[in-house]
Amino acid sequence: MSSLLTPASLRVTKCPRRIQSVDKTKTISRASSRSRKSRAESTKSGPQDKSSESDSDNEEAQPQKDILLEPDFAGLDIQDDKAFDTDLEVEDAHENIKYLLSKDTVTTYDHSGKTAYIERCKRLGVVPASYFLRHIHDKELSMKHHGLGSDGMKAMAASLASNTHILSLDLSDNWLGLEGGLAVAEMLKENCFITALNLSDNRLGNDSAMALCKIIQQNTTLTHVTLSGNEFDDKAAAAFAEAIMNTTTVQYLDLSHNDFGEMAGLVLGPAISDNTCIKELDLSWNCFRRKGAVAIAQGIKSNVYMKKINLSWNGFGLEGALALQDALKGNSVLEELDIINNRITAEGAVLIGKGLSVNETLKVLKMGRNPMQSAGCYGICAAILRNPNCVIKELDFSDILVNNDFKDVLKQVSEQIPNLKVKHGGTELPSKPKARIHPMVKLANYIEKHNLRLIDFFNKFDKDGSMSVTHEEFVEGLEETGIKFTEEEIQMLLDELDKDGDGEISISELVVGHTDFQEKREHINTVLTVMQPRPITS
């Protein structure tokens, strides 16, 4: 009879392959164990058939193989390999060990968070994202446009909190909303591996901005944070100002495509001045104007860490341009400034040029799509010529037309800075394509000019008087009239006059074609006359 290895014995020996031998006096047979169990059941259930009891006694009386109940390690030498030999049947012992080892008795740490994700999905009633499960071990994970929603983000946050693989996470355009944003903030309290986080276009709102700003200050691993297009406005500006001042790790912060206005500029400006960590800041596509724009420019002037700032698609105007002039004079760190489409006129460009004339660090200046015309572009180039220490490498005047005066000064700048790249909108207005004249108009004008009847005009083509001409005869007749037609126009006439497509043009087809065209032209003239404004009478 096979013996049974108990989990207790396996746990005590701590050796799954070799079982210690024990004293036979401290073992008990399997049959004896069954007999006691049977007696215990008979005591509970009341009087039973005596035959069953006698059978049990007979079984107990029969010699049985002993199995291990409690191992006794007293007197064993753990240095002696032979002391770990078992007195059990080797085959049965191996099968029991395999059974126990097949159980998930040892709990291992899930570094990916996959288990936590599946459990949270079940609890929230969310369908697990198969893409997330397939790429949960990647260093860079992009989940943009997956429609996660708030519940989907909550489930994923439970996994990301313990995930040690993902370093860059893109969650853009998932409609996370307030609850989803809060779930991300809670996750970042536990996760210390994610360095780049993209939460753009998720409608997070001002309330989630508060929680995220706290995390930006507390988290010690985040270096790149993108929060573009999340409907943040002036109410959230104070939280972001605090984050900009106090973060010690974030080097790139994107707050573009939000609703920050003049008041936000007044709050963010001093924060930019006190920033000691962020090297690249994107504030494009907001509403910074007037005093707000001036405050941000003043912040740039005092900042000694920021290398790149994007202020495009705001409304700096003349006041902002004056403040940027002062910023370029005082700042000795900034390398790239983007002020595309900021309502900067030629006068504003000249002011910025004055700042550029003494600046020694700016390498890229983008000013395209501003109403500064060629004069503004000229002012910038003239300022560069006055600065022998200028290190500018790229000028962007895209969509701004320039004249020959600008081309002359640009030539001088290129001699001073040979590797300079300049982009502009060209030197001339794009010519409008000439309106195409329908070939029937030329034909009708020729007939009217020479006071001809259609039959007289047709007779010039119909040499044999058959009242029908081939395409070749018709083309020859057109050449004799001296009317200038292109090949495309001639083909258009043939297609329009040869209605039945038999390869010939008859006098009736010419009359019908000419009459239809005249009616269409009269209709167009009538419509244009009606659309003209009536004169104002007193």
Side-chain angles (χ1 to χ4, degrees):
M1 183 178 295
S2 63
S3 59
L4 176 66
L5 179 64
T6 64
S9 64
L10 181 62
R11 186 169 57 252
V12 175
T13 61
K14 297 183 180 179
C15 182
R17 297 184 180 276
R18 309 182 68 178
I19 310 298
Q20 289 184 348
S21 59
V22 297
D23 192 350
K24 294 282 186 171
T25 60
K26 294 187 178 181
T27 61
I28 183 169
S29 68
R30 184 181 298 140
S32 177
S33 176
R34 286 201 301 268
S35 66
R36 284 200 302 273
K37 182 178 179 181
S38 176
R39 289 175 185 172
E41 291 177 352
S42 64
T43 304
K44 293 180 181 179
S45 60
Q48 300 291 335
D49 190 359
K50 293 182 179 180
S51 60
S52 62
E53 186 174 346
S54 62
D55 292 340
S56 297
D57 293 337
N58 292 334
E59 279 188 7
E60 185 172 314
Q62 295 176 1
Q64 302 291 339
K65 289 187 177 181
D66 296 334
I67 64 169
L68 185 63
L69 179 65
E70 289 292 340
D72 185 4
F73 297 101
L76 294 177
D77 186 3
I78 62 174
Q79 302 299 329
D80 185 6
D81 292 338
K82 295 181 180 180
F84 287 87
D85 292 338
T86 179
D87 63 338
L88 300 176
E89 293 180 15
V90 178
E91 184 178 354
D92 292 338
H94 284 177
E95 288 186 5
N96 284 297
I97 290 171
K98 289 179 181 178
Y99 170 78
L100 292 171
L101 293 178
S102 67
K103 300 294 183 182
D104 211 357
T105 56
V106 181
T107 302
T108 59
Y109 182 73
D110 183 7
H111 292 276
S112 66
K114 181 177 180 180
T115 304
Y117 176 62
I118 294 175
E119 291 179 354
R120 184 61 66 90
C121 284
K122 291 179 180 179
R123 191 181 307 172
L124 295 173
V126 175
V127 178
S130 59
Y131 184 87
F132 177 64
L133 293 173
R134 290 196 305 271
H135 297 272
I136 201 169
H137 295 92
D138 295 354
K139 290 184 178 180
E140 297 182 2
L141 175 63
S142 176
M143 292 295 297
K144 59 182 178 181
H145 316 309
H146 274 72
L148 297 175
S150 58
D151 288 341
M153 188 64 248
K154 290 177 184 177
M156 191 173 293
S159 169
L160 294 172
S162 59
N163 186 288
T164 61
H165 302 282
I166 299 173
L167 305 180
S168 176
L169 179 62
D170 187 349
L171 296 170
S172 57
D173 190 25
N174 275 288
W175 288 75
L176 301 185
L178 171 59
E179 295 184 2
L182 296 177
V184 173
E186 289 296 320
M187 176 271 293
L188 291 174
K189 290 180 180 179
E190 304 294 333
N191 186 291
C192 57
F193 294 91
I194 295 176
T195 59
L197 177 65
N198 189 342
L199 292 173
S200 59
D201 302 315
N202 275 296
R203 300 196 174 192
L204 300 179
N206 293 333
D207 292 334
S208 59
M210 309 297 177
L212 290 171
C213 287
K214 290 182 180 178
I215 290 299
I216 290 175
Q217 299 174 64
Q218 297 171 3
N219 190 285
T220 58
T221 56
L222 280 175
T223 59
H224 291 69
V225 180
T226 302
L227 297 170
S228 172
N230 278 295
E231 301 179 351
F232 301 137
D233 57 26
D234 292 352
K235 295 179 181 178
F240 282 108
E242 188 175 356
I244 291 173
M245 285 189 294
N246 297 326
T247 181
T248 58
T249 57
V250 175
Q251 299 179 9
Y252 172 86
L253 180 61
D254 184 352
L255 296 175
S256 63
H257 292 267
N258 282 295
D259 299 324
F260 293 123
E262 185 174 354
M263 296 303 298
L266 292 172
V267 176
L268 293 175
I272 295 173
S273 175
D274 295 336
N275 163 63
T276 59
C277 181
I278 298 175
K279 295 181 179 179
E280 184 174 348
L281 180 62
D282 191 345
L283 295 174
S284 61
W285 290 88
N286 281 285
C287 302
F288 297 118
R289 296 182 177 90
R290 300 173 63 86
K291 294 180 180 179
V294 172
I296 289 178
Q298 291 174 347
I300 295 173
K301 176 184 178 180
S302 304
N303 187 284
V304 293
Y305 289 91
M306 196 171 298
K307 301 286 187 180
K308 181 178 179 180
I309 186 165
N310 188 346
L311 300 172
S312 62
W313 295 87
N314 281 285
F316 270 53
L318 186 60
E319 294 181 47
L322 181 60
L324 287 173
Q325 169 197 338
D326 195 33
L328 290 175
K329 287 181 178 180
N331 187 287
S332 59
V333 178
L334 191 66
E335 296 180 356
E336 181 172 335
L337 176 63
D338 188 343
I339 47 176
I340 290 175
N341 198 11
N342 264 284
R343 305 179 183 176
I344 297 174
T345 61
E347 183 181 357
V350 172
L351 292 174
I352 293 175
K354 290 181 179 179
L356 192 60
S357 64
V358 297
N359 185 279
E360 300 179 1
T361 59
L362 195 67
K363 297 179 180 179
V364 178
L365 177 61
K366 298 181 179 181
M367 298 185 66
R369 291 181 175 269
N370 279 297
M372 58 192 212
Q373 302 178 348
S374 183
C377 300
Y378 182 95
I380 296 293
C381 290
I384 294 174
L385 286 176
R386 295 194 300 269
N387 184 0
N389 297 322
C390 184
V391 295
I392 199 79
K393 294 182 178 180
E394 182 179 342
L395 286 173
D396 187 349
F397 300 137
S398 54
D399 296 322
I400 301 176
L401 293 175
V402 295
N403 54 23
N404 291 330
D405 292 338
F406 169 79
K407 293 175 66 176
D408 293 339
V409 72
L410 179 60
K411 184 178 181 180
Q412 300 178 42
V413 173
S414 299
E415 293 175 356
Q416 178 176 321
I417 308 175
N419 297 325
L420 178 65
K421 296 180 180 179
V422 181
K423 183 190 296 184
H424 55 74
T427 57
E428 296 180 358
L429 287 172
S431 58
K432 294 182 179 180
K434 295 181 179 180
R436 296 181 61 182
I437 301 176
H438 196 283
M440 283 297 294
V441 174
K442 296 181 179 180
L443 203 61
N445 290 340
Y446 178 85
I447 294 172
E448 293 177 1
K449 181 179 180 180
H450 293 82
N451 195 21
L452 296 173
R453 296 179 302 170
L454 281 177
I455 186 62
D456 298 332
F457 177 77
F458 187 79
N459 286 335
K460 292 185 177 183
F461 304 90
D462 187 14
K463 304 296 184 182
D464 57 0
S466 63
M467 304 303 291
S468 179
V469 295
T470 62
H471 288 184
E472 290 76 11
E473 292 175 338
F474 187 79
V475 172
E476 291 177 1
L478 289 177
E479 292 176 354
E480 292 178 3
T481 60
I483 306 174
K484 295 181 179 181
F485 289 106
T486 64
E487 292 183 2
E488 183 181 357
E489 290 174 334
I490 291 174
Q491 188 61 45
M492 189 183 299
L493 271 177
L494 295 174
D495 294 338
E496 188 165 334
L497 294 177
D498 188 9
K499 299 293 185 181
D500 54 7
D502 60 352
E504 295 186 355
I505 299 174
S506 62
I507 181 60
S508 59
E509 287 177 328
L510 178 62
V511 172
V512 171
H514 182 266
T515 304
D516 290 344
F517 178 76
Q518 288 290 85
E519 291 178 354
K520 290 179 182 179
R521 187 161 67 168
E522 290 178 2
H523 175 70
I524 293 173
N525 292 335
T526 303
V527 172
L528 292 176
T529 303
V530 172
M531 292 177 63
Q532 290 180 355
R534 295 182 179 180
I536 300 176
T537 58
S538 58

